Amino acid sequence: MEPMTHSVKKTSRPGPGPNAAAAAETFRRSRHDHAAETAQDYVEAIADLTAAAGEARVVDLARRMGVTHVTVNRTLARLQRAGYVNTRPYRAIFLTDAGRKLATESKRRHETVVAFLRWLGVSKQAAEMDAEGIEHHVSPETLAALKRRLPKS
């Protein structure tokens, strides 16, 4: 009996075609949306920490977000370039007007999604966890529809 050999079929990567531009745009949009999610989560956390403790520090953000202080510092640098925060080494982190606005919008979106899920009968814990993902991807149209369905308080 002859030994088995494996033949490897060489395949080429798909070249640019009519779908390449659409695929590239999809990936660009996904990266942009992910960066926006991170910004929203961080400014919301900074606002919450500032309200609760009077300030937000890197160590507090790292603990809250479940990441290292290096990750927090890198993210803060991006947020500062985007105009959402002001930071200085060894100082508290402060939201700019744009950062406060984004934090408020993010918190409202989160609260609306949680309220809607709770109205559907979802447990508080599950609603909070699910809202954390949904809040970033819900369109303004869908968010408005959720608000319309909620009982008036």
Side-chain angles (χ1 to χ4, degrees):
M1 179 180 254
E2 291 184 23
M4 291 182 66
T5 60
H6 298 285
S7 64
V8 177
K9 182 179 177 183
K10 292 185 179 182
T11 59
S12 62
R13 291 184 174 261
N19 294 330
E25 181 55 33
T26 298
F27 288 118
R28 267 193 294 277
R29 171 79 189 266
S30 179
R31 286 189 304 273
H32 175 270
D33 289 350
H34 182 68
E37 285 178 43
T38 300
Q40 292 165 7
D41 287 342
Y42 270 77
V43 296
E44 194 174 346
I46 293 165
D48 289 347
L49 288 167
T50 301
E55 67 179 4
R57 300 173 307 147
V58 169
V59 66
D60 301 322
L61 273 174
R63 189 175 303 121
R64 181 166 184 149
M65 304 300 284
V67 298
T68 67
H69 70 283
V70 173
T71 299
V72 170
N73 282 323
R74 287 180 182 157
T75 303
L76 289 174
R78 285 193 299 274
L79 293 175
Q80 191 162 14
R81 285 191 302 271
Y84 294 126
V85 299
N86 287 320
T87 64
R88 286 195 212 156
Y90 310 106
R91 302 280 184 178
I93 303 151
F94 299 97
L95 293 174
T96 62
D97 288 342
R100 279 188 293 280
K101 181 180 178 196
L102 181 60
T104 300
E105 291 168 356
S106 297
K107 189 167 193 70
R108 283 188 188 143
R109 221 177 16 259
H110 180 87
E111 290 170 348
T112 298
V113 173
V114 168
F116 186 78
L117 293 174
R118 295 287 291 139
W119 178 73
L120 289 175
V122 176
S123 71
K124 183 173 179 16
Q125 182 179 2
E128 286 289 342
M129 289 178 65
D130 292 345
E132 189 52 46
I134 295 169
E135 72 184 74
H136 300 294
H137 299 284
V138 66
S139 69
E141 177 184 355
T142 300
L143 193 62
L146 298 180
K147 286 179 185 178
R148 286 193 303 272
R149 292 289 180 210
L150 287 171
K152 304 294 182 230
S153 308

